[in-house]
């Protein structure tokens, strides 16, 4: 039986939920925003991934008898709360940006409107999925960008942080443009194309390298990528590969073959190997490289003119090694009282940790002529903007910095996914998500895609929202002073 | 239905396995070693974790009809190979160090003896599990060491790299000495004690902070950890916590309560809070802190005299943020021919990547008086050492460096787990593994536990093994030259 993931909940969600359940707040309708605070690797953008997993989780939430017994035995929870969990199902609303969207810090990318008990029980899983999958998609997008159109293979399963890290990690990388995965299960589960040919053990097992290559070429004549660095890349591996390709594949009219270099100085070795292959007339032979690659190493290889066709990327993609934490948070931003939405705020000594209150909309403003994204605008949920009128936005930190758009389109980024607990949209296929992401990246300025000091994209608050926030901060400060 | 993980296999394992299956090597018995090359965070030791997951995987390996159809449709594999997979079961032998053991670079911590097809199909999963769980256990051990006996809570689920990262990550952290987890599912699945109290949303939802604390203390009088940094830690949070504890809990005779600080300067705030609590007579009130902690921050806090009782550790533990890749590899080291074990080697331009050939044993040498570990010795499988005789070992890189032991005990670190495909040992419980790890860490010198330039533990090769390796390197080099 598949392990039920409903209990993947931080224990404090249960203590709080039970606490609310036994209080006047039991049926209180609240709004939680999902957002993140800073871009991994000091990049210019992030990719939102994981919506499908979140929807699947919510639709399948169910506490087993064993789960309930476990909770009962903790002697912390009331019987009626346990009874409530027995029949638990989500009854709220969820608004979210589409999976594969480009997202920026401090934007509400998902909003959960539900009673407080339900909203709390979703928190851990939503954060886990959002943080993990967006992290990997964002990293993969950078890597694919560095490869400048060349093929990138995700081959990190053996260094992944557990089974789901390998599986949904492959999926997230594919969304962001990576071309295939080494992980067969990711193909079975999600349709990420799986690929791969041979390891060093193959070469080691045969009497000699030529025999190893020859046998492989015999079994897989149309799919031979020969691993050339088991003994000595240039003295043994490449010459033996050339020999086998020329003797066993070329005579059959085959032109699709490759060599793979997995160690050493990849620039030097790929240049020398290219020369040797070309001199042997094997100009169609592709060169695959791997070995702890990431976007910076790939960029360096290409800057040095390394003639590489395909990059195999492992541990540094699947773990997002250079910056493995995507700091997504899930914060209470409003409550309902008598049908009115009342904004709530969390104050902090650290200004970056003060939340933006209220039930909010997220708009993206595009230049009408170029189609490029110009800025994002966060507003109160009931504000309406017309493309017919000029739109002035201002920086929420430096309010004297304003920008006025006249020739623009404006897009409401979030759509409602759940209404009264029921999903009301069809989820896109993986290929649709991938195509959407590619399109969205195409709408970013090149200056946002670079790795060094990328252009900082504008994410502004509407004046109404900004005023609301400021007033709440003042109010809270006053209240804190009075309480002293 | 639970998703079968058997297909979590790098695709090249299938292409190789099918290639072997249709070759004279089909039934070739081979030996693969599992080892890692360098210690995360430049530490002094690592902890082996994941054996239970590996055993469970191997015992449950099974290809479904859908898996077989998928493979068939790839048009790469022979019908008899697909048929073989339909009835697949592991028939080999596995030798492994115990879960929770202290391990060092380049040691064979697990050896798989099986026919080449089976040995290849296990590779990806063994590596994934070993790399992930050992990484987290090792990181957690460092964090627990930094806390100097204080309680450490693992609370990283929301930043974990997927579901299994959260679940088995909690388990690995617990093995290494962490005291509890926030993740309820890790308790349900593995028995890691789950704990937790309240989030900022709890405090925000109530009319004011005092009401929030008061309601919590009412519902959980014996388990109240009040989160004091929602508005202002010292001006509002701590005074309100003191008020509620004194008015609502102390009169009931309760002495078990705590405050939690989740932001700001934790040294300053904990010192001030301690002072305020003590002045209010609440000397038993514990102080819990959290906020991107790891071993270095914990050490810094304690060095500064921060009066902290409990550390909550999240993203930096569950992702091993400072060094999130544990570079375990799985390499062919020998084959059998007519019942004889024939060592195999992989050469590399990078000396560190040259494998140590042969079917090997791993011994640990302890000082008889202190019980402390002195060095590890890797030998050929059939070498026997007697504690009665002095034992001289030498550094495999600097062979003039020798060490002779006279008063020692020697322990064979690996035990046979599978024999002919059947498991022949009972696996220890989680508590047993945890106790074993604690004991093993107690047998390390303090100099190995420190973070800055820890003492490098000796891992030496027996003379017989060293000679075998050297001869094979020469042989390979000669062969490469002849082939030119």
């Amino acid at each position: 039986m598949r392990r039920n993931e409903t209990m993947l909940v931080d224990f404090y969600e249960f203590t709080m939920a039970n606490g609310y359940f036994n209080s006047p707040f039991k049926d209180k309708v609240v709004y939680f925003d999902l957002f993140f605070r800073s871009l991994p690797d000091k990049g210019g953008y992030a990719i939102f991934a994981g919506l499908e997993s979140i929807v699947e989780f919510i639709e399948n939430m169910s506490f087993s008898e064993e789960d309930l017994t476990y909770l009962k035995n903790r002697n912390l929870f009331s019987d009626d709360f346990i009874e409530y969990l027995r029949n638990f199902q989500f009854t709220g609303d969820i608004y979210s940006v589409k999976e594969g969207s480009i997202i920026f810090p401090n934007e509400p990318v998902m909003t959960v409107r539900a009673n407080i008990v339900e909203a709390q029980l979703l928190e851990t899983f939503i954060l886990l999925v959002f943080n993990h999958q967006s992290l990997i998609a964002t990293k993969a997008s950078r890597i694919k960008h560095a490869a400048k159109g060349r093929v990138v293979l995700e081959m990190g399963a053996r260094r992944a942080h557990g089974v789901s890290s390998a599986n949904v990690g492959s999926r997230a990388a594919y969304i962001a443009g990576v071309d295939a995965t080494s992980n067969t299960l990711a193909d079975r589960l999600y349709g990420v194309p799986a690929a791969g040919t041979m390891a060093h053990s193959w070469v080691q097992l045969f009497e000699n390298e030529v025999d190893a290559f020859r046998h492989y070429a015999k079994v897989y004549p149309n799919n031979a990528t020969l691993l050339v660095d088991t003994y000595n890349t240039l003295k043994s591996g490449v010459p033996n590969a050339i020999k086998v390709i020329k003797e066993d594949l070329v005579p059959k009219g085959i032109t699709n073959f490759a060599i793979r270099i997995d160690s050493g100085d990849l620039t030097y070795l790929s240049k020398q190997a290219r020369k040797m292959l070309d001199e042997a007339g094997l100009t169609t032979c592709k060169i695959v490289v791997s070995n702890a690659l990431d976007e910076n190493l790939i960029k360096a290889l290409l800057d040095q003119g390394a003639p590489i066709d395909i990059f195999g990327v492992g541990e540094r993609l699947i773990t997002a090694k250079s910056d493995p934490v995507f700091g997504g948070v899930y914060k209470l931003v409003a409550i309902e009282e008598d049908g009115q939405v009342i904004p709530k705020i969390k104050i902090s000594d650290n200004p970056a940790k003060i939340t933006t209150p209220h039930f909010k909309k997220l708009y993206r403003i595009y230049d009408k002529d170029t189609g490029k994204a110009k800025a994002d605008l966060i507003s109160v949920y009931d504000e309406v903007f017309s493309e017919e009128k000029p739109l002035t936005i201002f920086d929420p930190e430096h309010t004297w910095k304003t920008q006025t758009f006249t020739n623009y389109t404006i897009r409401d980024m979030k759509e409602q996914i759940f209404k009264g607990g029921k999903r009301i949209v069809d989820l896109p296929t993986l290929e649709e998500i991938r195509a959407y992401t590619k399109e969205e990246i195409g709408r970013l300025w090149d200056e946002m895609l670079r790795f060094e000091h990328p252009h900082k994209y504008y994410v502004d608050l509407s004046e109404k929202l900004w005023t609301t926030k400021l007033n709440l901060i003042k109010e809270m400060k006053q209240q804190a002073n009075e309480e002293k």
Side-chain angles (χ1 to χ4, degrees), chain A residues 133-396:
Chain A
Q133 298 188 34
S134 302
L135 175 75
I136 302 303
T138 303
K139 183 70 174 177
S141 178
R142 294 168 61 83
I143 289 171
K144 184 70 188 173
H145 181 67
K148 296 188 173 169
R150 289 169 188 77
V151 171
V152 174
L153 308 174
E154 183 284 303
M155 36 195 265
R158 60 189 54 198
R159 302 282 165 87
H161 286 189
V163 168
S164 30
S165 161
N167 293 337
V168 295
S170 295
R171 179 183 176 278
Y174 189 66
I175 286 175
V178 161
D179 299 276
T181 182
S182 68
N183 174 7
T184 317
L185 189 50
D187 196 348
R188 283 280 291 116
L189 293 175
Y190 306 116
V192 182
T197 59
M198 71 169 69
H200 296 113
S201 56
W202 176 275
V203 180
Q204 280 175 275
L205 196 62
F206 286 80
E207 190 67 29
N208 57 56
E209 209 173 30
V210 171
D211 284 359
F213 291 168
R214 187 151 273 154
H215 187 69
Y216 199 90
K218 187 176 148 207
V219 184
Y220 304 108
N222 300 304
N223 181 34
T225 296
L226 305 173
L227 181 61
V228 294
D229 73 330
T230 304
Y231 302 118
N232 186 311
T233 301
L234 298 180
K235 288 190 185 158
S236 156
V238 177
N240 286 333
I242 288 173
K243 181 178 167 72
V244 170
I245 292 171
K246 284 186 79 166
E247 289 176 9
D248 298 8
L249 298 175
V250 171
K252 293 182 185 159
I254 294 164
T255 55
N256 181 37
F257 32 71
I259 60 165
R260 175 157 82 100
I261 308 170
D262 187 43
S263 61
D265 188 314
L266 299 178
T267 300
Y268 174 73
L269 294 175
S270 63
K271 283 184 179 175
Q272 296 301 316
R274 183 75 271 160
K275 211 171 138 197
M276 291 160 77
L277 291 165
D278 289 349
E279 281 169 7
L282 303 180
T283 53
T284 65
C285 184
K286 293 202 168 70
I287 297 179
V288 187
V289 302
S290 48
N291 194 14
L293 298 179
D294 63 10
E295 67 273 39
N296 298 313
L297 282 167
I298 290 174
K299 183 174 183 304
L301 286 168
L302 296 181
D303 285 351
Q304 295 166 72
I308 295 165
D309 303 287
I310 299 172
F311 295 97
V313 181
E315 62 197 37
R316 295 193 184 191
L317 166 54
I318 207 69
T319 68
K321 183 170 190 281
S322 54
D323 205 352
V325 174
F326 196 88
V329 294
Y330 179 86
K331 294 289 176 190
L332 180 75
V333 291
I335 62 173
E336 276 183 22
E337 267 173 25
D338 309 322
Q340 293 285 100
V341 184
I342 314 292
K344 283 276 181 178
I345 198 165
K346 177 189 169 294
I347 302 291
S348 171
D349 296 337
N350 179 351
K353 283 198 165 186
I354 297 179
T355 55
T356 298
H358 228 319
F359 178 31
K360 301 181 287 289
K361 284 214 171 184
L362 171 64
Y363 291 100
R364 185 152 297 164
I365 300 159
Y366 297 96
D367 184 282
K368 210 173 208 165
D369 295 334
T370 62
K372 298 279 186 187
K374 299 287 287 179
D376 282 9
L377 176 64
I378 308 172
S379 78
V380 176
Y381 71 98
D382 56 1
E383 288 185 82
V384 181
F385 301 94
S386 160
E387 292 171 1
E388 308 304 314
K389 293 184 198 162
L391 178 63
T392 298
I393 63 172
F394 64 95
D395 188 307

Side-chain angles (χ1 to χ4, degrees), chain A residues 28 76 81 84 167 270:
Chain A
K28 176 60 77 184
L76 288 168
F81 177 65
Y84 162 81
N167 293 337
S270 63

Side-chain angles (χ1 to χ4, degrees), chain A residues 22-39:
Chain A
N22 296 286
S23 86
F25 290 113
K26 180 181 168 185
D27 299 312
K28 176 60 77 184
V29 172
V30 298
Y31 295 78
F32 274 82
D33 272 356
L34 177 68
F35 61 97
F36 72 110
R37 291 199 179 110
S38 66
L39 289 159

Side-chain angles (χ1 to χ4, degrees), chain A residues 383-449:
Chain A
E383 288 185 82
V384 181
F385 301 94
S386 160
E387 292 171 1
E388 308 304 314
K389 293 184 198 162
L391 178 63
T392 298
I393 63 172
F394 64 95
D395 188 307
E397 280 179 53
H398 312 287
T399 53
W400 46 268
K401 284 174 78 173
T402 64
Q403 226 182 333
T404 300
F405 303 103
T406 49
N407 186 36
Y408 67 99
T409 57
I410 186 164
R411 175 175 158 219
D412 186 349
M413 292 292 289
K414 284 191 287 184
E415 59 180 352
Q416 187 163 7
I417 308 290
F418 282 92
K419 187 174 181 177
K422 299 287 168 231
R423 179 155 59 89
I424 58 168
V425 291
D426 287 330
L427 294 182
T429 65
L430 184 60
E431 294 297 337
E432 285 167 352
I433 297 169
R434 190 167 188 258
Y436 168 67
T437 299
K438 191 175 177 181
E439 189 187 313
E440 290 298 290
I441 288 176
R443 299 183 80 171
L444 300 180
W445 301 92
D446 286 345
E447 292 72 16
M448 293 174 62
L449 303 177

Side-chain angles (χ1 to χ4, degrees), chain A residues 97-170:
Chain A
V97 302
K98 285 177 190 295
E99 181 150 18
S101 292
I102 307 297
I103 56 173
F104 300 97
N106 301 312
E107 295 182 343
V109 296
M110 183 183 284
T111 301
V112 174
R113 175 190 176 276
N115 74 57
I116 181 68
V117 176
E118 293 178 24
Q120 210 73 70
L121 290 175
L122 300 188
E123 176 175 17
T124 309
F125 202 87
I126 287 179
L127 283 173
L128 178 154
V129 166
F130 169 64
N131 280 324
H132 173 230
Q133 298 188 34
S134 302
L135 175 75
I136 302 303
T138 303
K139 183 70 174 177
S141 178
R142 294 168 61 83
I143 289 171
K144 184 70 188 173
H145 181 67
K148 296 188 173 169
R150 289 169 188 77
V151 171
V152 174
L153 308 174
E154 183 284 303
M155 36 195 265
R158 60 189 54 198
R159 302 282 165 87
H161 286 189
V163 168
S164 30
S165 161
N167 293 337
V168 295
S170 295

